[in-house]
Amino acid sequence: MRKKKELTEAEKRDLTMKYEVAEELGLLEKVERCGWRGLTSRESGRIGGIMGTRKTAERKRTEADKADRVDT
C-alpha cells in the first residue's frame, strides 16, 4: 500500500470549501453515504463551478487589499 501524502494548506482549504459547498447544495449526506464518486457529473460540476467562482472572488479581494495598502 502507498503511504498517504500530507495535504498542503491550499489543499486543506479546498477540501474544506468542497464540503461546505456540498452541504449548501444539500449533497453532503449523499457524499457521506456514497463518497464523491457517488455524485453525478452535474452535481460535481456544480460544486466545482461554485468553488471556482469563490476562489476567483477571493483572489480579486486579496489583490484589491494589497493595492489599497500600497496606495496608502
Side-chain angles (χ1 to χ4, degrees):
M1 259 198 302
R2 275 197 306 176
K3 186 177 176 183
K4 288 187 177 182
K5 70 172 192 163
E6 186 73 23
L7 295 177
T8 65
E9 288 302 315
E11 290 171 330
K12 289 177 185 177
R13 282 192 307 271
D14 287 350
L15 193 57
T16 300
M17 183 187 302
K18 189 175 176 180
Y19 276 95
E20 289 171 357
V21 172
E23 183 177 23
E24 291 169 13
L25 296 175
L27 297 171
L28 186 57
E29 185 178 317
K30 185 175 182 180
V31 169
E32 290 171 344
R33 190 176 60 246
C34 305
W36 293 107
R37 289 183 169 199
L39 297 179
T40 65
S41 58
R42 183 180 206 141
E43 293 166 338
S44 295
R46 185 87 190 266
I47 291 170
I50 292 171
M51 286 177 63
T53 302
R54 288 185 184 175
K55 284 180 162 185
T56 301
E58 184 178 319
R59 195 171 325 135
K60 286 181 180 179
R61 202 172 30 251
T62 302
E63 290 172 1
D65 289 346
K66 286 180 183 177
D68 286 346
R69 278 188 250 138
V70 171
D71 291 343
T72 51

